[in-house]
Amino acid sequence: MKTNPAEEYEEKPRKVLQQGKGIRVQVPDLKDALSRFIEEESLRDHDSDAEACLEAVRSGEVDLHQLASTWAKAYAETTLEHARPEEPDWDEDFADVYHDLIHSPASETLLNLEHNYFVSISELIGERDVELKKLRERQGIEMEKVMQELGKSLTDQDVNSLAAQHFESQQDLENKWSNELKQSTAIQKQEYQEWVIKLHQDLKNPNNSSLSEEIKVQPSQFRESADAAGRIYEEQRKLEESFTIHLGAQLKTMHNLRLLRADMLDFCKHKRTHGSGVKLHRLQTALSLYSTSLCGLVLLVDNRINSYSGIKRDFATVCQECTDFHFPRIEEQLEVVQQVALYARTQRRSKCKEARDSGNQNGGSDDKSKNAERNYLNILPGEFYITRHSNLSEIHVAFHLCVDDNVKSGNITARDPAIMGLRNILKVCCTHDITTISLPLLLVHDMSEEMTIPWCLRRAELVFKCVKGFMMEMASWDGGISRTVQFLVPQSISEEMFYQLSNMLPQIFRVSSTLTLTSKH
């Protein structure tokens, strides 16, 4: 029989205070009574449910063996002692092995082998480019002859038919070379990983007599192509200024800033010559591959997730020149990004529909929904996707930041999507151990006519000030870790403009001053 807490309360001595029309009772006693009531009634409900389940078993409504199997399965899946041991992950095991080897005397052998693979793929790409060039030249001559006969013995239909044949021939040849490159890189990756695992196992055996021969550095054994000099990337004279700054009011954090006149892809390209400077850059990148000091790069791209045009195509070409032994190929990573973006766009579209259906009474909501619907198939300005790389010269992570033509105008503000995208990128750097980030200072990769000196100064001032604010926010994101931020300007910018930007930076950031100590004597 259920008890009423009010009746139970009446049975106890209580103090009642008359205050006008209100009556105040002792709250602790009432709370205790309610707690006991809830506990007793909950226990009674559980008992009744258990009795009903037992009665179902007694009457045969529930199969006893099936019930026991269900209980045993649930217990085994939720209890740690019955959990299955985790299967070893190949990628994690290989990462640990590689990290050990690259910090051992075998590091130079690893780099030489990677360079040898790079030369092999570069030669294959060179053969592909030559064959495609010959095909285009031959097709150009054929099309020129047909155009001369147009209107005489040939019609527009004949021209269109020949153009279709040329396009199909180019597609077939490109697909042939693409499959060959894909197969070659897959073979290289398998050979390399198997060799790394074997070498690591041999290192554990100190009595192995062949170990010294395996890790012996023989540069002459790694071939260089005869036409290597013709394929070396020509670098314009780089301009560079470095600064050390302190940010923060009470807890100051030191950061390094660099202003460079260089191409963004210079940080990605490998050099065909394997000189000491190139080796040092490559060694530093390899040593920090599985570390808390990663290097990132910001690329400005359009709203389509592919590698078919512009800097996206140039970047993909650089990625293809050297096999990635640790991460999927750039094409595979972009496919995954497309799938994730498709899911996100689907969710965004459903939310826009709900907002449009529920918010038609508001005047501005309909235009906002139409704008979101228009961009349904693409990512929006300010959004970015990330690709991982172990085969690039000086970076591990590439941020592909979506921008539109608005970045070329001179009236963007600190709330522009491109600026907010930089803020989100810096936040990702803080949460994922990326301590060096290179970004385009002017938010463009190439200069154009409308980008005058005043335009460049205004844009640089805006980006400097915004990045300074974002870096001060970093102290709350990561606790104040020292980082390096590299501001890159296009190579076509003049030296005069470069040094104007260099003079602007110390005026915005707090640059550390040097002290000169002199003797009294």
Side-chain angles (χ1 to χ4, degrees), residues 79-92:
T79 309
L80 181 61
E81 60 180 334
H82 293 282
R84 294 181 179 179
E86 293 186 3
E87 297 182 358
D89 185 89
W90 166 259
D91 292 334
E92 292 183 3

Side-chain angles (χ1 to χ4, degrees), residues 60-286:
E61 295 179 9
V62 177
D63 186 3
L64 185 60
H65 296 289
Q66 182 179 0
L67 182 62
S69 300
T70 304
W71 270 99
K73 181 181 178 182
Y75 180 78
E77 290 180 351
T78 57
T79 309
L80 181 61
E81 60 180 334
H82 293 282
R84 294 181 179 179
E86 293 186 3
E87 297 182 358
D89 185 89
W90 166 259
D91 292 334
E92 292 183 3
D93 291 344
F94 178 75
D96 294 337
V97 169
Y98 179 85
H99 185 74
D100 291 342
L101 285 182
I102 202 64
H103 290 81
S104 73
S107 60
E108 190 166 2
T109 305
L110 288 177
L111 296 182
N112 282 332
L113 182 58
E114 292 177 8
H115 183 74
N116 188 33
Y117 281 138
F118 160 66
V119 172
S120 176
I121 293 295
S122 297
E123 290 177 352
L124 202 60
I125 292 177
E127 294 175 8
R128 179 200 64 182
D129 294 342
V130 170
E131 193 166 342
L132 286 172
K133 181 180 179 181
K134 289 181 179 178
L135 177 63
R136 294 190 182 100
E137 290 176 351
R138 185 170 64 253
Q139 290 178 347
I141 295 174
E142 292 178 2
M143 183 60 71
E144 186 177 352
K145 291 180 179 179
V146 170
M147 294 301 295
Q148 291 176 356
E149 297 296 326
L150 181 62
K152 300 177 184 178
S153 58
L154 299 176
T155 63
D156 292 340
Q157 185 177 0
D158 297 324
V159 175
N160 294 336
S161 177
L162 181 62
Q165 293 177 10
H166 287 174
F167 178 77
E168 185 176 354
S169 299
Q170 287 188 23
Q171 288 294 106
D172 292 341
L173 186 59
E174 289 179 357
N175 290 336
K176 170 205 164 187
W177 279 104
S178 177
N179 293 332
E180 188 168 346
L181 283 171
K182 184 177 180 180
Q183 183 179 4
S184 298
T185 53
I187 293 174
Q188 285 188 359
K189 186 172 184 177
Q190 182 179 357
E191 290 178 350
Y192 180 84
Q193 291 184 344
E194 291 177 352
W195 183 84
V196 167
I197 295 294
K198 181 179 180 300
L199 180 60
H200 185 261
Q201 293 174 350
D202 292 341
L203 281 174
K204 293 182 178 179
N205 183 11
N207 298 324
N208 193 343
S209 60
S210 63
L211 181 60
S212 59
E213 293 297 328
E214 288 186 51
I215 65 173
K216 185 182 294 184
V217 180
Q218 297 287 349
S220 60
Q221 294 179 357
F222 300 101
R223 56 193 172 84
E224 294 281 352
S225 59
D227 59 339
R231 291 288 306 275
I232 297 176
Y233 292 106
E234 295 182 0
E235 296 182 0
Q236 296 186 9
R237 187 172 72 90
K238 287 184 179 180
L239 295 177
E240 177 181 341
E241 291 283 347
S242 299
F243 305 88
T244 301
I245 65 168
H246 288 87
L247 294 178
Q250 296 179 347
L251 181 61
K252 289 181 169 46
T253 305
M254 185 179 70
H255 302 279
N256 297 317
L257 302 183
R258 298 177 67 198
L259 179 65
L260 298 96
R261 186 181 72 174
D263 190 345
M264 296 294 290
L265 297 182
D266 286 346
F267 294 92
C268 308
K269 296 175 181 178
H270 284 287
K271 310 300 185 293
R272 291 290 295 272
T273 54
H274 208 190
S276 59
V278 176
K279 275 188 178 182
L280 290 176
H281 277 300
R282 185 72 191 99
L283 178 61
Q284 178 61 34
T285 307

